[in-house]
Amino acid sequence: MMKNFKKFGNIIISDIFVFFVVAFWYTTWNIQDKYLFPNHHGLSNGISLSIGIIGISIIAISQFAINKKLRNTNCVIFFLISRCIAFFWAVCGVCHWRGLWNFLDRYTAALSPKVLLVIGLVVLCVLRSIRNILAPPFVLGFDGYRDQFFNQSMIFSQIVRNKIPFELDVLLCTSILGSLVIMFWRDAWQTMDNHLFPDDKQKTFIWSILIFFSVQILAEILQFCFRRTSPQIEKSPYIMKLIIHDAYFIFLGVGNVACWRFIWTIIDKITAFIGPDIGLGSVCFTGFIFLVSAFSSTSIVSKGFIMDASVEQWYRLPTEYIGSYRTWLQDKEKKPEKKDFEPSIETITHL
């Protein structure tokens, strides 16, 4: 009973916190639309895209030095520095998404979003990184000394079976995998815009809510079924497990997009009611301060860039459908003190 209560509490709290996460992303995105060269769309999007890729790459490359320094500081300095880094990382993430999303809108308008959606999913499946479509913030991530800004991204080294430089791998992950995730989200979003009552905002809003909660409920049912049938799943052919694995995460990704889509509409109405000049800044500040106060500022960070875990193990992890974050009511695992870490292609890190 207590376990079910904790799980239900995780879902409720996650749904509350995702509102503030989306609020931060919405306002940061629209502040750039309003103030970053609004009359020069190509320049504005190019600057955003550049800031996003370069900024995220710099943080990922310097993560080991950052974590080492933060672990050796007192709690006050850790609190201030870590929140500043989280804010900068989140802004860079929004910049990356905004720049590429707008470029896709501008230069692929003649293509059906379903075409790009399929292309993005196929490449992510081939790269064994389909789970990254859950990378955008979805549920609560704890702020803590351990792995505050950790991102293990040695993906392309594993694919090519050679030890390419870590810095190059980070750049490839940021520019290629991150862009593929954005392509999935943008085209899934556009597909919903085109087919979920495009001329009726109220109906499309309601359908987005229904899709999101339906996915949440079905995800719980599927997880229960996977756990009950795990012996049979283990005996299945590898290709069958791989297909189920990829289809499952695509299903969850669609629910994630629907979640952001209806909350995005709510934030749009709130800022319009307050007024865009005051509303954007106030909602952005309020969302970030709330997450900082709840020690969950890392929830606004799109971490991503992980290889899919072993197909033999994925269905045993009941929190995988919410992006591998440690949830609010979940007991913290006691781990030995962590030593300085060097990147390794054999290490798979769940953020």
Side-chain angles (χ1 to χ4, degrees):
M1 178 64 71
M2 181 57 67
K3 184 177 181 181
N4 292 332
F5 174 76
K6 286 184 176 181
K7 199 164 193 177
F8 180 75
N10 283 335
I11 295 173
I12 297 299
I13 293 174
S14 298
D15 292 342
I16 294 173
F17 274 78
V18 73
F19 175 85
F20 292 95
V21 171
V22 179
F24 177 86
W25 273 60
Y26 173 92
T27 51
T28 304
W29 187 302
N30 282 275
I31 286 173
Q32 293 181 59
D33 285 343
K34 187 174 180 62
Y35 297 107
L36 185 62
F37 299 102
N39 298 322
H40 300 83
H41 298 294
L43 178 61
S44 177
N45 298 329
I47 292 175
S48 288
L49 185 59
S50 301
I51 291 174
I53 293 177
I54 295 172
I56 295 173
S57 298
I58 290 174
I59 292 177
I61 291 171
S62 60
Q63 62 184 320
F64 308 106
I66 292 174
N67 282 319
K68 185 176 180 180
K69 291 292 184 182
L70 288 178
R71 286 200 300 269
N72 297 329
T73 60
N74 62 53
C75 60
V76 176
I77 296 177
F78 167 79
F79 182 90
L80 295 175
I81 296 178
S82 65
R83 273 50 177 185
C84 291
I85 296 175
F87 181 83
F88 176 70
W89 193 342
V91 170
C92 288
V94 177
C95 287
H96 186 190
W97 280 65
R98 174 184 177 269
L100 183 58
W101 190 297
N102 288 341
F103 274 132
L104 289 172
D105 281 347
R106 186 171 184 178
Y107 296 109
T108 64
L111 289 175
S112 169
K114 297 176 184 177
V115 175
L116 294 177
L117 180 63
V118 171
I119 292 174
L121 287 175
V122 168
V123 178
L124 284 170
C125 290
V126 170
L127 295 177
R128 299 302 305 123
S129 298
I130 193 66
R131 188 181 308 184
N132 284 297
I133 62 177
L134 299 181
F138 187 37
V139 298
L140 183 64
F142 273 128
D143 293 337
Y145 281 98
R146 191 183 304 278
D147 295 339
Q148 170 77 6
F149 304 104
F150 185 78
N151 187 347
Q152 178 67 24
S153 61
M154 299 296 285
I155 294 177
F156 287 92
S157 294
Q158 295 191 39
I159 293 171
V160 300
R161 300 300 177 185
N162 292 316
K163 290 187 177 181
I164 63 175
F166 179 72
E167 293 78 9
L168 177 59
D169 190 87
V170 166
L171 184 60
L172 290 173
C173 288
T174 305
S175 58
I176 296 177
L177 287 184
S179 298
L180 289 171
V181 172
I182 297 169
M183 183 184 296
F184 165 81
W185 272 67
R186 180 260 179 187
D187 294 301
W189 195 300
Q190 290 287 345
T191 300
M192 292 183 187
D193 282 344
N194 293 340
H195 297 285
L196 288 182
F197 302 97
D199 299 325
D200 192 326
K201 292 184 177 180
Q202 184 175 359
K203 287 184 178 180
T204 190
F205 173 78
I206 294 173
W207 270 99
S208 295
I209 296 176
L210 292 175
I211 292 173
F212 165 60
F213 283 107
S214 297
V215 169
Q216 274 201 323
I217 294 171
L218 288 175
E220 290 292 337
I221 296 173
L222 288 173
Q223 282 291 331
F224 175 78
C225 295
F226 290 147
R227 289 193 293 269
R228 292 293 297 270
T229 60
S230 59
Q232 290 80 6
I233 294 178
E234 287 182 345
K235 296 176 182 178
S236 302
Y238 178 83
I239 188 64
M240 182 61 65
K241 288 184 286 191
L242 189 63
I243 292 173
I244 297 174
H245 170 277
D246 290 347
Y248 179 64
F249 280 107
I250 292 171
F251 169 70
L252 300 178
V254 171
N256 207 352
V257 174
C259 171
W260 275 61
R261 193 169 177 269
F262 84 79
I263 297 178
W264 197 274
T265 304
I266 295 174
I267 304 300
D268 182 57
K269 292 184 179 299
I270 292 174
T271 54
F273 177 78
I274 299 174
D277 294 330
I278 301 176
L280 289 175
S282 60
V283 172
C284 180
F285 179 78
T286 302
F288 183 72
I289 293 300
F290 176 86
L291 293 170
V292 167
S293 301
F295 295 94
S296 58
S297 63
T298 53
S299 293
I300 59 177
V301 175
S302 180
K303 296 181 179 180
F305 314 141
I306 58 174
M307 289 284 286
D308 291 347
S310 170
V311 176
E312 281 73 19
Q313 301 293 330
W314 67 272
Y315 56 85
R316 296 181 181 177
L317 305 175
T319 59
E320 284 301 302
Y321 71 97
I322 50 178
S324 300
Y325 286 104
R326 178 178 293 154
T327 48
W328 182 259
L329 297 175
Q330 184 175 352
D331 294 332
K332 295 183 180 180
E333 299 177 2
K334 293 183 178 180
K335 297 180 180 179
E337 190 64 28
K338 190 173 182 178
K339 297 180 180 180
D340 292 341
F341 178 83
E342 293 298 331
S344 168
I345 63 172
E346 291 82 17
T347 303
I348 302 296
T349 299
H350 297 289
L351 298 174

